[in-house]
Amino acid sequence: MSDFKASVIRYLERHGYSGIRLKAVLFDMDGVLFNSMPYHADAWNKVMARYGLHLSREEAFLHEGRTGSSTINIVYRRQFGKDADPELVKTIYDEKSAEFAKNPEPERMPGAWELLQKLKAEGIIPVLVTGSGQHSLFDRLQHCFPGMFQRDRMVTAFDVKYGKPHPEPYLMGLEKAGVQPWEAIVVENAPIGVQAGCAAGIFTVAVNTGPLDGQVLLDAGADVLLPSMQALCDGWEALKACFGSVGSLPR
Ligand code: MG
């Protein structure tokens, strides 16, 4: 945990900020709040194969966080040298969503609920920033994390134009929380999500909850790499202590 401080100092120097005054935590959803990524990877693999498209489960983890259409088009372009017809994109994405929905309700990621309780007690605002476009998303959040998230503090696939790895979703998350980049942190598990958080100028914690080599997350720009949400929850006080102890704060 001792290199939290070095990570914070590197982040502050890179951005010319003099401290992190934590007011909000911007959470990705799949693979961070819910242990849902294995279901997503399986659904992608299965439905893409139906259309002759090759996307392995492992590669699905690499693309996690992209909008459905951009994932489909990356694979389609690789095989056919052009974008897929928008109707085909919609068909594949609808089938993928239906395949995902056949699974039992994904479980909360161990440590996520405990971490949210700590934030609530500290008056820190949790914000959801996901590339997911499920209509029942808020209800599921309310069911699994009662009283933690507010509907007007969510960024989903319906809100964004570009999606991750573009900084847009996280910039929108800052706006919805009414905070500046140095007043928030991002918690992500996917390389593309980490890129988005960093591009938005926000201190980005990667939790490696899937099968990827952690180096992929560091290469994407993660300021801190942890093996699980439980590790973030357990190390929360140590991490937070580093935010408040570095110099004076902006303005
Ligand atoms: Mg994720």
Side-chain angles (χ1 to χ4, degrees), residues 73 83-92:
N73 272 319
D83 277 356
D85 186 86
E87 272 179 36
L88 178 62
V89 170
K90 190 179 179 310
T91 304
I92 295 175

Side-chain angles (χ1 to χ4, degrees), residues 44-119:
W44 272 123
N45 173 259
K46 194 169 172 181
V47 173
M48 293 289 251
R50 253 178 231 163
Y51 293 88
L53 296 163
H54 311 303
L55 178 66
S56 68
R57 289 175 179 80
E58 167 107 357
E59 192 189 344
F61 277 90
L62 277 175
H63 290 304
E64 189 203 336
R66 288 192 203 282
T67 59
S69 64
S70 78
T71 301
I72 293 162
N73 272 319
I74 282 170
V75 179
Y76 197 91
R77 275 197 298 272
R78 185 168 68 205
Q79 289 184 228
F80 300 108
K82 58 176 183 180
D83 277 356
D85 186 86
E87 272 179 36
L88 178 62
V89 170
K90 190 179 179 310
T91 304
I92 295 175
Y93 191 63
D94 287 351
E95 286 186 30
K96 185 261 164 182
S97 301
E99 197 60 42
F100 176 77
K102 286 181 191 168
N103 291 293
E105 193 95 315
E107 293 185 354
R108 289 195 308 218
M109 195 60 90
W113 174 244
E114 293 78 1
L115 176 60
L116 281 162
Q117 283 176 310
K118 288 185 182 183
L119 299 186

